[in-house]
Amino acid sequence: MAITDKPRPARAVTGHPRLPGRRRGAGKARMLPFALIAPAVVALLLIQGYPLVRLLVLSTQDFGPRSLFTGQADFVGLDNFTKIFSDADFRGVLLRTVVFTVLCVAFLMVLGFLLSHLLMGVSAWVRVVTTVCLVLVWAMPMVAATLVWQWMYQPQYGVANWLLTKLRVFGDLTAYDWFSHPTQALGLIILLTVWKGLPFVALTMFAARGQISESLYEAARLDGANTFQTFRHITIPLMRPVLAILTILEVIWSVNSFTPIWVLTQGGPDGQTTTLGVYAYITAFSRNDYGSGASIAVVTVLILAVFSIAYVRKLSAQGEKR
């Protein structure tokens, strides 16, 4: 009796089999982004990570002049932080830093937006000339700009005193020393900081404003919207990410501002223009209390980190509601 094999019905193929080579290729593709950013991460850890860790360690040590020669310092825990928080000078410096930062950032954002709006409406050659002037101001080193500012307001030969005296606006200011008065000295420092940082803010806002389609504004005008309404409902929402980045950057740069204050007043008169950056420098290098200076720097970093995280989360929540 012959045995014949009956053909079996073909089974439908529902999917491709997973081959080992394909799995390895997919794994390599997933790891490729991490491999590409790995050198940058390593560089950041070496350049920024180590100094931060060393700063944290130093803030918990009694590191003084003796430690510079011996390399040894006693561990004091949070004593440095307790000392600076109980210091009345530190509280005054912290309040002054907040006022200084708020005024600088407010002026920069308002003037930057107005200047960017002006650049949108002028002719091409005026825009080019204005942009070149802004870039030159931005490219000038801060030390050089501060020295020019110092010469302008020099009591005997400063051009600002000479001009104001000629205009008879405030009387005879031939020998007037602006930097011997705390409020006026701080005002000049704020003015210098705003003047130096305005090009970056204005040009960044101008670039962001140029990415908004004019058809949105035309449609809004056809619907009867005025300038304020288009600004509120079109310009601000679409520029919100750029405005957020600019605000965070300017807050960080204003809090850490050191060169204009140190060159113009060195924190004087009587410490009335001292901010956190200058106060940390004076504590560490003038008083030779490196541990307390490091703790002031750590507090500054923590304040900026908390502000940045809170500000970004608030903006994210507002974006989700919209």
Side-chain angles (χ1 to χ4, degrees), residues 63-314:
F63 201 98
R66 178 180 58 85
S67 303
L68 292 176
F69 298 97
T70 63
Q72 299 178 353
D74 297 330
F75 177 77
V76 295
L78 300 178
D79 288 351
N80 290 327
F81 294 93
T82 304
K83 182 167 59 176
I84 64 170
F85 280 117
S86 60
D87 186 5
D89 291 339
F90 175 78
R91 294 192 291 270
V93 168
L94 182 59
L95 178 61
R96 189 178 305 112
T97 303
V98 172
V99 174
F100 173 82
T101 302
V102 169
L103 291 176
C104 287
V105 175
F107 282 123
L108 280 169
M109 300 303 289
V110 173
L111 294 177
F113 179 82
L114 293 177
L115 190 54
S116 65
H117 186 70
L118 177 66
L119 290 174
M120 293 296 299
V122 297
S123 59
W125 71 271
V126 176
R127 186 181 303 119
V128 170
V129 172
T130 306
T131 303
V132 170
C133 293
L134 290 174
V135 171
L136 290 177
V137 172
W138 189 27
M140 182 182 296
M142 178 58 85
V143 175
T146 307
L147 288 175
V148 171
W149 211 262
Q150 189 179 47
W151 294 337
M152 287 173 56
Y153 290 93
Q154 203 274 339
Q156 294 293 335
Y157 309 105
V159 65
N161 288 4
W162 173 83
L163 181 60
L164 291 174
T165 301
K166 290 296 183 181
L167 294 175
R168 301 295 180 183
V169 178
F170 301 106
D172 187 6
L173 298 177
T174 305
Y176 189 79
D177 188 2
W178 295 86
F179 301 109
S180 63
H181 300 79
T183 304
Q184 296 170 8
L186 188 62
L188 290 178
I189 294 171
I190 292 173
L191 191 60
L192 170 60
T193 305
V194 172
W195 173 77
K196 193 68 175 65
L198 186 59
F200 174 75
V201 177
L203 293 177
T204 304
M205 287 187 178
F206 172 68
R209 172 63 179 81
Q211 299 303 313
I212 302 177
S213 175
E214 289 296 329
S215 61
L216 297 176
Y217 293 98
E218 294 176 1
R221 284 191 290 268
L222 290 175
D223 290 337
N226 55 31
T227 303
F228 176 76
Q229 289 172 333
T230 56
F231 169 76
R232 178 183 177 185
H233 297 289
I234 297 178
T235 306
I236 291 298
L238 294 179
M239 290 181 60
R240 192 181 300 276
V242 175
L243 295 176
I245 294 174
L246 284 176
T247 302
I248 292 174
L249 288 177
E250 292 302 332
V251 167
I252 293 174
W253 291 340
S254 297
V255 170
N256 292 325
S257 182
F258 176 82
T259 303
I261 301 173
W262 187 255
V263 173
L264 289 178
T265 64
Q266 295 187 355
D270 296 329
Q272 294 302 306
T273 59
T274 302
T275 58
L276 283 175
V278 178
Y279 189 62
Y281 179 85
I282 292 175
T283 303
F285 297 101
S286 296
R287 303 175 185 173
N288 293 323
D289 191 355
Y290 302 100
S292 297
S295 62
I296 296 171
V298 170
V299 171
T300 304
V301 172
L302 292 177
I303 291 174
L304 292 174
V306 170
F307 166 78
S308 301
I309 294 172
Y311 189 73
V312 170
R313 291 186 62 182
K314 181 180 178 181

Side-chain angles (χ1 to χ4, degrees), residues 22-46:
R22 183 174 297 177
R23 287 198 298 269
R24 287 195 296 269
K28 291 180 179 179
R30 286 194 298 268
M31 294 301 297
L32 180 60
F34 298 99
L36 292 175
I37 67 172
V41 172
V42 172
L44 287 175
L45 290 176
L46 293 176

